[in-house]
Amino acid sequence: MPHFPLFINLTQKNILIVGATTLAKDKIKRLLPFVKKITIVATRIDPEIHDMAQSAPLTIHQREWAMEDLKGMDMVIVAASEADLQKEIFSACTKKRILCNTVDVPKYCHFFFPALITRGDLSIGISTGGKAPAVSKKVKEYIDGMLPKNLDDAVSQLISLRTSLEPGIEQMKKVAEWTGKVLKEILK
C-alpha cells in the first residue's frame, strides 16, 4: 500500500539525529532549509558535519546515545549502522509516539524522505515508500527538468494575489482563474 504524502512545517519541531557519519550528512542537508535547529548525538562526527555546524543550526553532542535524548523530540532520524541500536531507538520512539526514520531500513521507519523538488514555496515530493529510492530520484530528475525555470516567480505572484483578497469563495474562484491563466502561459 502506498504511503500518504504529508507536508509538515518543521520550523518549531525538535529534531534529533543519532549518528553523524556519511549516512547522516544527506538527511541533515535535506532538513536544513526547513528547520531552525537539529540536535545530533554520535560517538564519531564526520568532519563535514562539524564544518556544517559552523554556519548551520546544529547542536552536536559527541557521546553515546541515551534514552533521555528523546525528551522533547518531535522527530528522530537514526543514521547509525548498528542493527541493535536502530531497533532500540525505533522501538523507543514508537512507544513515545515520536516519528522515526531509520536511514535505509524501511521496517524501522514511520515516514520516508521523498525525492524533493523545491522552487520557492512550491515543493514536490516523490516517494516509493522507501522501497525503490532510485526510482524516486530518477522521476524527480525527469519532472525537475520539465518544470519552467520561472515557476517560483509565478507561484510567488499567485500567493501575493491570494493574500491580497478577502478569504472566501470569491477569493478561491479568482485565484483558480488566475492560476489557470498564469500556469497556462508558463507551461507552454
Side-chain angles (χ1 to χ4, degrees), residues 143 173 182 188:
I143 292 171
K173 286 180 185 176
V182 170
K188 302 187 212 184

Side-chain angles (χ1 to χ4, degrees), residues 30-156:
R30 293 176 71 196
L31 283 168
L32 281 175
F34 303 97
V35 301
K36 288 191 177 178
K37 73 175 188 165
I38 297 172
T39 301
I40 300 168
V41 175
T43 54
R44 292 185 328 249
I45 312 293
D46 183 287
E48 190 176 334
I49 293 173
H50 266 302
D51 292 344
M52 290 166 61
Q54 302 305 311
S55 60
L58 303 177
T59 302
I60 298 174
H61 301 286
Q62 191 163 359
R63 59 171 171 73
E64 294 284 334
W65 175 81
M67 192 66 72
E68 299 82 47
D69 292 323
L70 295 180
K71 186 175 182 177
M73 292 298 160
D74 299 298
M75 180 185 296
V76 175
I77 313 300
V78 182
S81 57
E82 300 84 4
D84 290 342
L85 182 60
Q86 294 169 345
K87 183 177 181 180
E88 176 186 346
I89 296 171
F90 179 77
S91 295
C93 287
T94 300
K95 287 176 187 166
K96 293 180 178 289
R97 298 179 181 245
I98 299 170
L99 292 175
C100 183
N101 172 282
T102 303
V103 179
D104 291 334
V105 187
K107 70 180 180 179
Y108 295 142
C109 292
H110 295 121
F111 68 95
F112 299 97
F113 280 75
L116 190 61
I117 300 168
T118 306
R119 301 273 181 88
D121 285 307
L122 176 69
S123 294
I124 302 169
I126 299 113
S127 176
T128 59
K131 295 174 187 146
V135 172
S136 298
K137 182 179 179 185
K138 287 295 182 189
V139 171
K140 169 198 162 184
E141 290 168 358
Y142 177 78
I143 292 171
D144 196 28
M146 294 176 55
L147 295 173
K149 299 300 174 211
N150 62 340
L151 183 58
D152 54 332
D153 293 333
V155 171
S156 293

Side-chain angles (χ1 to χ4, degrees), residues 11-25:
T11 56
Q12 299 300 318
K13 301 295 182 195
N14 293 313
I15 299 172
L16 171 67
I17 298 181
V18 179
T21 57
T22 304
L23 290 173
K25 282 191 295 193

